[in-house]
Amino acid sequence: MQPKILAQPERIHPEGMAEWFRRRAMRAPEKPALSFQGETLTYGEFQTRIERAAAMLAAGGVQRGDRVAVLAFNHPQTLVLLFAASRIGAILVPLNYRLSPVELRDIIIDAGAHTLISDARNVEAIDSVRGALGCQRHLLFGGSRDGWESMEAALAAAPASVALMGGQPDDMAVLIYTSGPTGRPKA
């Protein structure tokens, strides 16, 4: 007996990662999306954070194709930034907190990061190499430090959202670096 070939289901064409999440949030904004350390965010709350973060990045000069590097331990803010960067056509560069300051420097320079975001627990790793990075903006969340712009303050000052941008399903959203036996990290 021949296997039955099913017609392809209607394909969802979300126009990019941020649009995919936005559409999900519109369908059920009250449903839980993420729980972390005793706090649960609904899809609607999560989308509101994404919109505000996208507006904050855009207000700071991040444009389509720019890289936004993030050095942080696991935290919902990293996911917010992933979708926020995608929302404006930027590319998130997650950084491994286990790397040395020199390795982090090499990755940030190679990626050409426009904006660098760190959490308070990892900021010292960047401070020793910060002068060589060439980033146009340095944001810190979860604390304060001289020479770093408070991400919380930047979010509070940002508009609620930015204009919709026509993303494509194959837009680059994340640039991940790995290292191997040859030494230098590669994207």
Side-chain angles (χ1 to χ4, degrees), residues 58-79:
V62 176
Q63 299 177 10
R64 184 175 188 78
D66 284 344
R67 274 58 169 183
V68 176
V70 177
L71 178 61
F73 290 120
N74 290 338
H75 193 277
Q77 192 62 42
T78 303
L79 284 176

Side-chain angles (χ1 to χ4, degrees), residues 7 35 39 70 78 89 103 126 142 144 170:
S35 292
E39 179 186 14
V70 177
T78 303
E103 291 169 314
I126 296 297
S144 63
D170 60 351

Side-chain angles (χ1 to χ4, degrees), residues 1 6 14 19-20 53 57 79-80 88 108 110 113-114 120 144 151-153 173-175 184:
M1 183 169 167
L6 300 174
E19 179 63 9
W20 161 81
L57 291 172
L79 284 176
V80 167
I88 60 172
I108 294 165
D110 186 69
H114 175 283
S144 63
M151 192 164 90
E152 289 80 3
V174 182
L175 186 59
R184 296 189 67 114

Side-chain angles (χ1 to χ4, degrees), residues 9-25:
E10 183 180 326
R11 298 181 77 191
I12 297 172
H13 203 50
E15 299 179 9
M17 191 169 75
E19 179 63 9
W20 161 81
F21 193 90
R22 187 182 74 80
R23 288 182 183 188
R24 176 63 180 97

